[in-house]
Structures are given as C-alpha cells and as structure tokens.
Amino acid sequence: MTDISAQRPEQVVVCKWNPELIGSLLDSGLDVYVVLDDFDVDHMHPDWELLGRAARVYRVSEFDSLEEISAVAADLSLRGVSGDRIISFTEFSQFGAGYLAILLGGQGDPLRHVAYRDKRLMKQRVAAAGVRTAAWASLPDPNDQQDVAAVCERLAFPLVVKPVSGGGAIGTFTVHSPDELASKLAAIGPIPIVKSRQLIAEEFVTGRELHIDAVWDGDEPLFLVVSAYFMTRLTVLEGIAHIPEAGLPLDGSTVINAEDDPELYRRVLDLHRQVNRALGIERAVTHLEVFQRPDGELVFSEIATRLGGGWIPPLLGEATGLEVHHALGQALVTGKLPAPRPSRRHLGALHLRPAAPGRITAIPSVETMLAMDGVLRAQPLRGVGDVVDLSHASEWCVFVVLGADTADEFDALVERVGREFRVEVGPVE
Ligand SMILES: Nc1ncnc2c1ncn2[C@@H]1O[C@H](COP(=O)(O)OP(=O)(O)OP(=O)(O)O)[C@@H](O)[C@H]1O
Ligand SMILES: [Mg+2]
C-alpha cells in the first residue's frame, strides 16, 4: 500500500525497516513515523541512531495484529498524522498498512488495499474494467464439497490452485482432473507464511511470464521496466520438486529493453493503466505480473503495490542507475524521479540454489562472483552451515545481477554463472 496524496506531505509513516528508505525520507526534512515488527527488530539489525531522528518509532509483533495496528493508529491520530502518507514496500506489511490508512481516514474504499492482496477481488475488479484475466473460482473452504464441485463445473482443467493472498508461489499447485483436485485438497496441510486457508482456482494460462516494475504519478509512470522470467515461477517450483532428474530450473529474469520491443511496452502500458484505474492505484510503486500467451495476447496475472521481491530490487538498481529504496521513497513523496540510466544494454538476474536439499558446504563468495566480467552485483543470503530444504520457490540463496553489451554475450554470461557458481550441500545430520 504505497499510495499517497499528490502534494508533498510533511509527515510520512513508513512500515518496516529499510535504512535507505527511512534515511532518505529523514534527510528530506519530513516528520517520519516508523512502524517496525518483531522480525525487523530481531533479525534486521535496525540502526537505532538513525531511528533516533524519527518523530516516533512504533513496535508491533506483526503487521497482521489488529490490536497493535489500532494502537499505532490511535497514537498517530492523537498527533494529527493522517493516513494518506503511508509507505509500505514489503509483502508482510501490506494488510497492516492498508488497515492503518483506513483507520487514519486516508482511503475512500475500505476494500481497496484488500484488492491489492486478495487475488479474487483483484481479478474481479480488473476483469470488470475489460482486462483479460484467467477464469477463476473461489474455494473459501477447501473441504466444502459444493465449493469443489462448483470449481469443476465452472472451470476447464488444468487448474492452478493457490492461497487467495499468498506470496512467493508458496502453496501453489497444478491439477489436471477433478480427482486430482479432490485428492490434493484433501492432503493440504498448513501453508507456511499464509494465514487464511481460503483458496482460488484458476484456469492454467500458457506462455511466458512477465514482471513489470513501475512507479506511478497518476496515469504516468515515472519509471516502468518490463522483464521476462527465464521460466515461469510455477515451472521453477515444480522443477525444484523434481530434481535431480529434470536438472535445476533456471531461476531469474531478464529486462526487455523498450527500444527492442516498443510494441510490447505500448501494450503493457495500456493494460497497466486500465489495471491502475480499476484498482485505484495513483501514486504507488507497483509489481505487475502478466502472461504473454503464445499468440502474443497479454493476460493479467496479479499486481502488488510494493516493490517486487527476490532479485528484483537489485536488478532495478542496475536498470535505473539509482539506489532503489532511496529513489522510490523520494518519488512517492515528490512525484519526481531522476531519468533512469541503465548500467548495461542487457541486464538480468539469476537466483542460485543448490541442486538438492541439504546443509550448505560451499557457497561462492561475493569477491569471487564480482570478479567475473559482467557480474554487477552479488548478494548471498545464506552461508555455510545453513540448511536449504527446497520446499518452495522463494527460499532465497544467492542473487547475482548480470549485464552485457549484446544479447549473445548476456546469454553466455547466464550460462557461465549457472555453471561456475555452485551452492554445494551435504547431508543434514
Ligand atoms: N492461472 C495461472 N496459469 C498459469 N500459471 C499460473 C497461474 N496462476 C499462477 N501461476 C503461476 O504460479 C505462480 C504464483 O502465482 P501468483 O503469482 O498468483 O501467486 P504469488 O504466490 O502471490 O506470487 P509471488 O511470487 O509474485 O508473490 C505465478 O508466478 C505463475 O508462474
Ligand atoms: Mg506472483
């Protein structure tokens, strides 16, 4: 939830710890209110000296706690802080930030932020605006046989089934028949990270999967970049489940340059504007996912009003030539962004993971990775001794951002990085 009003605010509320974002807002002379959750405090090493310059720092156990967000809202309200200046760049703070905005009176439609997270409400609103989406049906109770029968009646198999407001493709699976749907639903256990047990079923859309990362000032993107995942997120998820037979799926994405495919950019921009109008997105950072079917047609998949996850922030750093959190925070406040200056003609990023589950015995060092020509950024998120269980597509290990001058050089670089930088594992004793 990153919409804020058009005028430059004097106060801004930031949800979750991010040093560049909070630092840049503090430097611009705003009163900055910060809400941190237990994860930030326990694991993200917040800089308390920097936070000492904030107007106030609130702590909540998690952003999904109505009681704690209400207490934050009450205290902000006593201080005269309104709800149209809330910046939330992470998935885990989206519901809390939206609720805070409602409590502080900054948002007309109380379901607006829910439509940025619940895939059913999102698709219903986007489809009503004339944008093509997958046919879908709701499974509010996966054990309710009538709900399941209605899905089988309304939709054509194969289907993709997933939590209504999940993330990172966690808990997502495909089914090819009513029998398979019934057996997989019966076997569903608790899904990590996700709280609601409600599911959505969608008809399977074929084609390549694009992600579009943008920052908006009304109808105009201050920045918009279209990228293509090397393989769809679901292919990666299913690939991990089936290695070693199938080999390790290529996980990452590559930026498509506007000058290489102006027609795609024109169509994406049209679609994006329709989606924004349908969902009330005005000044916001967005991460949109779209399928491009083999016949070229674009099909809306989903949108988030936050930065993309995984390797996307460092990739955007190279695509804009800017420090992303700093620049996007400023753009939300001022409506301005310096002209993007991509660092290389062809850019992309890879996520490296081990070829099997286990305890990490070797992981390439940042120095080794940066020493390879074309490796622009390297970010290990794990170290020797950590356990990787390959249970989901967003169990991040190492991000590598790559750049080259020609498409052929870029492809060769992707292949070389995948071959030379290995995350090795041994048994978990
Ligand atoms: N209808 C569909 N047809 C084909 N593939 C789909 C469909 N819906 C989802 N997928 C695949 O499953 C992945 C996860 O689905 P989706 O993006 O809707 O959920 P998510 O878990 O919120 O994603 P994110 O990783 O962006 O947080 C998609 O990236 C895509 O590869
Ligand atoms: Mg997604």
Side-chain angles (χ1 to χ4, degrees):
M1 227 289 313
T2 43
D3 273 10
I4 58 177
S5 72
Q7 324 86 310
R8 186 181 191 280
E10 282 158 11
Q11 302 152 326
V12 59
V13 180
V14 182
C15 297
K16 286 196 67 75
W17 169 244
N18 183 279
E20 291 80 20
L21 174 64
I22 293 170
S24 90
L25 295 169
L26 285 167
D27 289 344
S28 48
L30 299 164
D31 286 343
V32 182
Y33 295 84
V34 181
V35 188
L36 303 180
D37 63 11
D38 280 355
F39 187 87
D40 290 326
V41 175
D42 296 342
H43 301 289
M44 300 310 289
H45 313 293
D47 175 349
W48 294 107
E49 203 174 309
L50 180 78
L51 288 168
R53 292 166 52 206
R56 193 89 212 169
V57 179
Y58 298 100
R59 258 194 85 167
V60 295
S61 60
E62 55 165 9
F63 276 83
D64 290 344
S65 162
L66 294 182
E67 180 189 346
E68 290 171 283
I69 295 297
S70 302
V72 171
D75 197 72
L76 286 170
S77 169
L78 294 174
R79 291 165 199 275
V81 179
S82 64
D84 51 4
R85 295 132 173 44
I86 296 174
I87 297 182
S88 163
F89 274 165
T90 79
E91 185 102 315
F92 293 111
S93 50
Q94 295 308 80
F95 278 117
Y99 184 51
L100 192 56
I102 291 171
L103 294 180
L104 293 172
Q107 161 160 337
D109 170 13
L111 273 177
R112 191 175 69 160
H113 73 288
V114 180
Y116 301 156
R117 290 291 287 112
D118 189 296
K119 296 173 200 296
R120 301 164 299 183
L121 196 57
M122 181 190 296
K123 285 204 170 65
Q124 187 241 338
R125 290 182 176 197
V126 165
V131 176
R132 180 87 194 251
T133 73
W136 60 274
S138 179
L139 276 170
D141 177 356
N143 297 316
D144 182 316
Q145 293 316 311
Q146 274 182 341
D147 286 355
V148 179
V151 164
C152 296
E153 205 167 288
R154 281 182 45 195
L155 301 181
F157 285 79
L159 306 179
V160 177
V161 181
K162 54 199 171 178
V164 289
S165 52
I170 294 168
T172 302
F173 57 90
T174 24
V175 286
H176 296 84
S177 66
D179 284 349
E180 192 185 1
L181 175 65
S183 67
K184 286 203 172 155
L185 289 177
I188 264 184
I191 302 171
I193 301 175
V194 179
K195 294 197 179 85
S196 168
R197 291 175 157 263
Q198 297 200 31
L199 303 175
I200 180 173
E202 295 182 12
E203 288 186 4
F204 191 95
V205 182
T206 51
R208 71 170 175 171
E209 190 171 12
L210 307 176
H211 62 90
I212 296 102
D213 298 277
V215 51
W216 295 89
D217 187 33
D219 234 14
E220 285 308 314
L222 298 172
F223 164 77
L224 182 145
V225 61
V226 181
S227 310
Y229 290 109
F230 292 122
M231 293 182 172
T232 72
R233 303 293 303 139
L234 194 56
T235 310
V236 170
L237 177 73
E238 291 177 345
I240 301 168
H242 294 111
I243 51 174
E245 303 86 41
L248 203 58
L250 193 60
D251 195 11
S253 60
T254 178
V255 170
I256 300 170
N257 291 309
E259 54 271 40
D260 293 336
D261 200 341
E263 174 62 10
L264 177 65
Y265 268 76
R266 192 191 59 70
R267 290 168 55 217
V268 163
L269 190 57
D270 273 359
L271 180 144
H272 211 317
R273 286 189 171 126
Q274 276 177 287
V275 169
N276 290 4
R277 283 185 214 122
L279 298 176
I281 293 169
E282 283 156 14
R283 188 175 286 187
V285 172
T286 51
H287 172 70
L288 167 69
E289 293 180 329
V290 167
F291 298 104
Q292 187 177 25
R293 297 198 328 179
D295 64 5
E297 187 178 3
L298 299 180
V299 180
F300 171 87
S301 178
E302 64 162 355
I303 191 163
T305 51
R306 57 164 173 82
L307 269 171
W311 60 85
I312 292 172
L315 177 58
L316 293 181
E318 293 301 321
T320 57
L322 302 167
E323 201 300 311
V324 162
H325 286 94
H326 173 102
L328 299 189
Q330 289 298 319
L332 291 180
V333 172
T334 63
K336 295 191 177 68
L337 193 72
R341 290 159 63 102
S343 61
R344 297 293 279 268
R345 179 73 174 70
H346 294 272
L347 291 167
L350 275 176
H351 171 227
L352 310 177
R353 55 161 67 80
R359 191 180 292 281
I360 296 178
T361 52
I363 192 162
S365 72
V366 173
E367 296 72 35
T368 311
M369 291 189 280
L370 289 177
M372 185 185 285
D373 194 27
V375 173
L376 308 175
R377 299 187 188 205
Q379 188 185 358
L381 293 114
R382 302 298 183 101
V384 169
D386 288 344
V387 172
V388 181
D389 59 21
L390 297 190
S391 58
H392 61 80
S394 301
E395 193 188 20
W396 306 127
C397 293
V398 183
F399 299 139
V400 193
V401 180
L402 312 170
D405 295 327
T406 68
D408 286 348
E409 275 170 35
F410 182 81
D411 292 346
L413 185 60
V414 168
E415 198 269 325
R416 187 171 168 211
V417 165
R419 183 166 28 88
E420 291 190 19
F421 298 154
R422 314 292 298 190
V423 182
E424 308 288 355
V425 287
V428 181
E429 57 296 328

